[in-house]
Amino acid sequence: MKVVVSMDSLKGSLSSLQAGNAVREGVLRALSEAEVIVRPLADGGEGTVDALVEGLGGEKVPVRVTGPLSMPVVCEYGMLPDGTAVMEAASACGLMLVPPEKRDPRFTTTYGLGEMILDALERGSRSFLIGIGGSATNDGGIGMLSALGFRFYTAEGENAGIDGRAAAKVERIDASGMDPRLLQCCFRIACDVNNPLFGPCGASHVYGPQKGATPEIAEKLDAGLRHFSDVVRKRFGKSEDMLPGAGAAGGLGYAFTSFLPAKLEPGIALALDAVRLADDVAGADFVVTGEGCLDAQTAMGKAPLGVAQLAKECGAVMLAFAGATTDDAAALHENGIDAYFAIPQTPMTLAEAMEPERAYKNLASRAEQVFRVVAALQKKNG
């Protein structure tokens, strides 16, 4: 019997790989001869670097960069054994790095992400997986691009700046200083939104308010991004402003696709492809996934659903485990998950359930009991 396990992290409790190993332990208690493969799971957002580095034997690289408020911050990215750099933009320019009282997307920058990319280039990487969710920015990616050697000038020939105010000032773009190594690169960008760069559904109006923009500020930022797109179109003959996802992370999606060899992809698909999960699932009898809570939202694109879709394509039975399940989780049965199970063994507080040692023990035990049923049915059916 072949069982493939790809668990999402149980945040605050177990990492993706720890949860997967707990399930593996339980399966082998019930079916000692089973082939059990454990792979990390992430969705391109927070935790992706940790999951892929831990699951694929990579390493974390610390780097000091310019933070969203133009002050130094120390962050890290992952370097996988094949030389792929895995990054989360939020680690360099995320909203979590800006105190609530200082949140204003006019004054934040993506410059640090560009510095992080440069660091990986210096280490020889030419393949990048970058999640761009959770930014504090609305600079159209001008900050990142500036760090990579692009220059943006005002009508007077002065530097337009690197924050959210820059887009409205740009009148001339000089690409001659671009790091030439970028042309050798492949950027795969995890993007799970479809917003264009500007307009009512664009970066400024939809995401600006949660980054500190008032309606008036959002309107000015939107006009700035529209202007920037016009300048890009005049300079390069095209502009990806209406591309679904161009408005992600305050226009980072636009910057990647308009200036760099990049492709926007759903975060789940990108992460699953990175670990080549489809290759493992082929020929599997059972596939196991899970996360902290299984509910109707899981059926709307979360990582476990991506695993379920792969399992169904290969004809495997799909099982899921979670720290908690809700009444509306039954919708998952219509989306590829054949059965799901809560991890806790007895009534306990949330704090008790999340204690790592207890969570590991409970998950292994629950998996063991589920697969003892499988073993009993196998025995009965010969």
Side-chain angles (χ1 to χ4, degrees), residues 294-296 299 325-338 340:
L294 287 174
D295 53 27
T325 62
T326 63
D327 291 341
D328 60 6
L332 298 174
H333 296 316
E334 301 174 4
N335 290 274
I337 295 180
D338 294 302
Y340 56 83

Side-chain angles (χ1 to χ4, degrees), residues 144-221:
M144 175 192 73
L145 294 170
S146 296
L148 296 175
F150 292 89
R151 294 293 175 259
F152 302 91
Y153 297 105
T154 66
E156 292 76 28
E158 298 177 348
N159 191 307
I162 60 171
D163 58 25
R165 298 167 295 178
K169 303 176 185 178
V170 175
E171 295 295 343
R172 184 170 66 87
I173 301 172
D174 181 1
S176 63
M178 177 194 73
D179 192 309
R181 295 172 295 184
L182 293 169
L183 297 177
Q184 305 167 11
C185 295
C186 172
F187 291 90
R188 302 179 65 188
I189 310 302
C191 175
D192 289 309
V193 301
N194 295 315
N195 306 78
L197 180 63
F198 54 78
C201 297
S204 305
H205 286 298
V206 175
Y207 302 109
Q210 67 193 43
K211 301 174 184 182
T214 63
E216 294 76 20
I217 290 174
E219 185 61 38
K220 290 182 179 179
L221 290 171

Side-chain angles (χ1 to χ4, degrees), residues 9 35 46 77 158 170 209 230 244 249 264 353 359:
S9 64
E35 175 191 6
E46 181 184 359
Y77 63 92
E158 298 177 348
V170 175
D230 288 340
L264 304 183

Side-chain angles (χ1 to χ4, degrees), residues 80-151:
L80 302 184
D82 66 357
T84 297
V86 184
M87 300 176 174
E88 296 168 19
S91 68
C93 56
L95 191 61
M96 61 184 178
L97 299 175
V98 182
E101 67 275 11
K102 293 185 177 181
R103 291 177 182 173
D104 187 333
R106 292 175 297 178
F107 305 110
T108 52
T109 180
T110 56
Y111 196 90
L113 176 59
E115 292 176 312
M116 193 155 53
I117 292 171
L118 285 178
D119 189 83
L121 287 175
E122 288 295 321
R123 296 173 187 272
S125 183
R126 298 295 182 268
S127 176
F128 292 80
L129 304 180
I130 304 179
I132 59 174
S135 84
T137 58
N138 202 103
D139 67 357
I142 289 174
M144 175 192 73
L145 294 170
S146 296
L148 296 175
F150 292 89
R151 294 293 175 259

